[in-house]
Amino acid sequence: MKYHFNEIEAKWQKYWAENQTFKAENYSDKPKYYVLDMFPYPSGAGLHVGHPLGYIASDIYARYKRHKGFNVLHPQGYDSFGLPAEQYAIQTGQHPAITTAENIKTYRRQLDQIGFSFDWSREVRTSDPSYYKWTQWIFIQLFNSWYNNNSDKAENISELIKIFEAEGNTNVNAECDDDVEVFTADEWNNYSSEKQQEILLKYRLTYLAETEVNWCPALGTVLANDEIVNGVSERGGHPVIKKKMTQWSMRISAYAERLLQGLETIDWTDSLKESQRNWIGKSVGASVTFNVKDYDAKIDVFTTRPDTIFGVSFMTLAPEHELVSKITTPEQKAEVDAYIKATAKRSERDRMADVKTISGVFTGAYAEHPFTKEPIPIWIGDYVLAGYGTGAVMSVPCGDQRDYDFAKHFNIPIPNIFEGVDISEEAFADKDNTVITNSDFLNGLKYKKAVKTAIYELEKLGQGEGKTNYRLRDAVFSRQRYWGEPFPVYYVNGMPQMIDAKHLPIELPEVEKYLPTETGEPPLGNATVWAWCTETNSVVDNDKIDNITVFPLELNTMPGWAGSSQYFNRYMDPQNDEEIFSQEAINYWQQVDLYIGGSEHATGHLLYSRFWQKFMFDLGLVPYDEFAKKLINQGMILGTSAFVYRWSSNAFEEPIFLSKSVYDKVILEEKPLGHSDKFSNIFKSLTPKQTMEGGEAFFVEDSETTEKNFTPIHADVSFINASDELDVEAFKNWREEYKNAKFIYEDDSTFKVKRDVEKMSKSKYNVVNPDQICIDYGADSLRLYEMFLGPLEQYKPWNTAGITGVHSFLKKLWKLYNDDNGLKVTDAAPTKDNLKTLHKTIKKVEEDIENFSFNTSVSTFMIACNELTVQKCTSKQILEPLLVLISPYAPHIAEELWNQLGHNKSISTADFPKFDESHLVESTKNYPISFNGKMRFTMELSLDLNKEEIEAAVLANEKTKEQLQGREPKKVIVVPGKIVNIVG
RNA sequence: GCUGAAGUGGUGGAAUUGGUAGACACGUUGGACUUAAAAUCCAAUGGCCAUUAUGGCCGUGCGGGUUCAAGUCCCGCCUUCAGUACCA
């Protein structure tokens, strides 16, 4: 019987689906284990071989845990809202829901053919109203919450209102907007309803506010900070500008400290935690208030170096700082205005690009030093960022390089306040070796003490206090797009109102066009049925808007990360229509035990999800304030591109391609191509583009052999075989223009390509589709090979050629169980060698899986299979447990052979084999005998021997004497069971 | 610049606490089978030198160090990749 992998795989995939083999129950006597993949965006291009890498790893782990007696939750779903479907809709008019559904179908087919053990009964799609109902629900909860710094958690807004009614806001210690005014209980109670709502918005965890946003004109939407990479949009690379807009924001900054501290409690990769720490950007220092001279204004700054307060020689405001227009003197006004105009024009990217250029303008105004009362000139400069701290800095040129450069550039004095430090060349930023001088009461103090003293003195003056600052900004939550969750929000007199949760979901309305309206409103502005009737509690025709009972609905939609910030909990109880999940379900599954996904989500999805989880924890909805106990980043699989060299001569009609070593030679020897006798036949057969006398001379002249005369061109990797040879005919037929191309071959008449590793992408023609791999080699081969490529976390190139290794392993494995006459497994008792092979395999595979070292397991299987083949093992007692070991990796072949062995239940229900040390106990050891640390020969010795006996045996050996050549060994190191080293 | 990860044959990679470097594969070469090819099987395969077998020297990015013994530990560099970037 042969190994017909296509039949076997189809058979078992069908079996698993029909029998719901991997359906997880929300109760069990078994311990629970939750394995989750970051869920995919179903793109139109489908999967390439890089995508399933993490899914295969998590699937192996999930299957392994089932064998180990766990009740495993291993769900999958789709992050199905998103830009590409919308862009496609704009171009074609096709409703994004339709394209999305089609793409999901493709994804599902591709995932199914790889044989994953997902519990598909729990599938969720973020674009499904029954799912986004709960996304909207969480939004309402956030709206109805504020962050109490005293209890250090989110609380219901009604508690805050009670406080306002009883005592105003003077004693409220909340995370809120900076510009909240102070009011008494009486004042509060006399405020109009609008005024009260306005104030409450400044406290809510999701709030509507005029904020400076990252506007991307090309995409027609705002972007969150994590959606901008190097000053351009992550998707599409479009420029981004700053713009003031009224937008929903999430008060994630309230959770900055807890998000930071929480990192200590979770088993995530260090690099990922470090990214989050940087993103949160905690810095400890002080806020200092400077009075502006001759003007009733104050400038607040944040500094990490209050100890250097006497080194301040100027102040710098961001050009966008609100005080700039107020304090600028008439004489300086023209210059200041021009500067502000110039900086506003520059995109974020430009500003980042030239960090070197120093620019700034004096405002004409002066601040007053809090201690010396000396005047300090106030400048503006774009090296101060409006979005960080207060948008103003106290500039201490002697202690900060940027301030130093700025001062040098504009000839501002640089007072030195550091004892024994030369600052003539650069600023001195070293805290540890700081001793302060020229600083009044700070003289002679070291950094730590000076900081404390400075803060103490500032507090006494009422002009400062210790403060901790975070780089983490509140996250903008509105997008001017169609294909996202609608907000459950309508507007009364311009104030946002939440729709009662019992009327959710608010479904996306139909629109004619997916573009913004002519008046610049988001696409939902095109909807004609998009108003909220407070009497019928339903979405009604826009014509009915009377602002008495029928009101306009919010036109923005939620961002991509809304739907992905809680899905891991929803999987626990995905069909529940009454609650986001039942308490039974969440208390049973608790949190994700293992989360596998890409590191690109470090500061987006993975931070927002932690934020929402902490919020839900505050509400008492979830038992843990971290959603994923352990997280592993899988590396990326790269493509191995193939290049052919095209001679860029325009002398001939036909393109000319050079095989790799021909090219190498031509470049190395700099021999004109046309001159070579070897190729003269080829050149004679070419059609010259223009007839000219002495055509031969033409190409000789034209064929300089520098690299620039040859263009490397991507050839589709499907034309390349394992030996890097090009299928020339396939290549010729690939493109019309190559039909008559000429090829200069290797000496052995093959045509070889150059290979290079690049990111897998359509445009590089190095994308490998898993469908074809499954057809040619089977899903089990694909799964094994993806693991065999190398460590999970590493970036590694794909090369289809190597898959024959794992494929022939599976064939060998099959032959261990079957020959031409069918099953050959017997009840024969296992030999000692058989048992040894089995048990060392059990040990290694178990250790490997626990350490997520899946690549080494595959080698271990190969070794076991080779050994058992040599041993001619047919013993069921060996071959049966071996199948269970392999089944997480290659589940189809394992199921088939398991079935052949007479089992009628899925192998996934089998127990993992128990490792028995006794089979590995050896009586002898082949000792490596080293001389001065270099291994010279080996010696078989009994393990019963003690140190002295081993030494004696080794020294008595002929070869030892030969090595020593009469020298007396100075020292003999014997490590029993390991090694012998002779020094001498 | 800062932070993180990594550098081992022609290639992917292995080497669990310092203890036989290169497991397992791919590729290559040679051979068997075949009319031929594919498939399969066998052998060799880090480099250099020697060859009559036994061998010898070098070798884990570079330079030092610790140690009986270093891919592994320590110090100083170089390179690559990723993230981040005027964060006061």
Side-chain angles (χ1 to χ4, degrees), chain A residues 831-841 919-920 922:
Chain A
T831 66
K832 229 180 139 196
D833 280 347
N834 294 164
L835 284 165
K836 191 176 151 191
T837 298
L838 175 68
H839 282 272
K840 88 180 178 198
T841 306
H919 296 298
L920 300 191
E922 301 269 3

Side-chain angles (χ1 to χ4, degrees), chain A residues 164 179-183 187-203 493 495:
Chain A
F164 287 171
D179 59 345
V180 224
E181 53 201 297
V182 178
F183 50 81
E187 283 170 326
W188 171 263
N189 293 325
N190 287 321
Y191 285 151
S192 68
S193 161
E194 272 84 27
K195 173 92 183 172
Q196 288 181 342
Q197 287 183 47
E198 218 173 281
I199 290 168
L200 286 173
L201 263 184
K202 294 175 195 277
Y203 287 86
N493 293 330
M495 294 309 294

Side-chain angles (χ1 to χ4, degrees), chain A residues 163-219:
Chain A
I163 299 172
F164 287 171
E165 285 169 348
E167 51 179 85
N169 72 347
T170 40
N171 294 322
V172 171
N173 182 10
E175 204 63 44
C176 59
D177 289 6
D178 295 332
D179 59 345
V180 224
E181 53 201 297
V182 178
F183 50 81
T184 64
D186 275 349
E187 283 170 326
W188 171 263
N189 293 325
N190 287 321
Y191 285 151
S192 68
S193 161
E194 272 84 27
K195 173 92 183 172
Q196 288 181 342
Q197 287 183 47
E198 218 173 281
I199 290 168
L200 286 173
L201 263 184
K202 294 175 195 277
Y203 287 86
R204 296 179 191 273
L205 287 185
T206 185
Y207 59 98
L208 197 58
E210 165 130 310
T211 40
E212 186 145 272
V213 296
N214 307 301
W215 174 255
C216 179
L219 294 173

Side-chain angles (χ1 to χ4, degrees), chain A residues 283-290 299-306 309 370-371 389-390 392 394 451 454-459 462-469:
Chain A
S283 43
V284 180
S287 80
V288 183
T289 306
F290 287 79
I299 298 173
D300 289 322
V301 301
F302 172 74
T303 176
T304 54
R305 298 293 304 270
I309 183 101
F371 297 115
T390 60
M394 58 175 229
V451 167
I455 292 173
Y456 175 77
E457 292 295 332
L458 283 165
E459 277 174 358
Q463 280 189 260
E465 59 185 347
K467 197 184 164 178
T468 302
N469 205 41

Side-chain angles (χ1 to χ4, degrees), chain A residues 248 487-492 494-500 531-534 537 549-554:
Chain A
W248 286 103
F487 285 86
V489 172
Y490 62 96
Y491 288 88
V492 177
M495 294 309 294
Q497 311 295 324
M498 292 297 124
I499 290 170
D500 198 296
W532 185 249
C533 174
T534 52
N537 288 311
T549 57
V550 179
F551 302 93
L553 280 158
E554 167 76 49

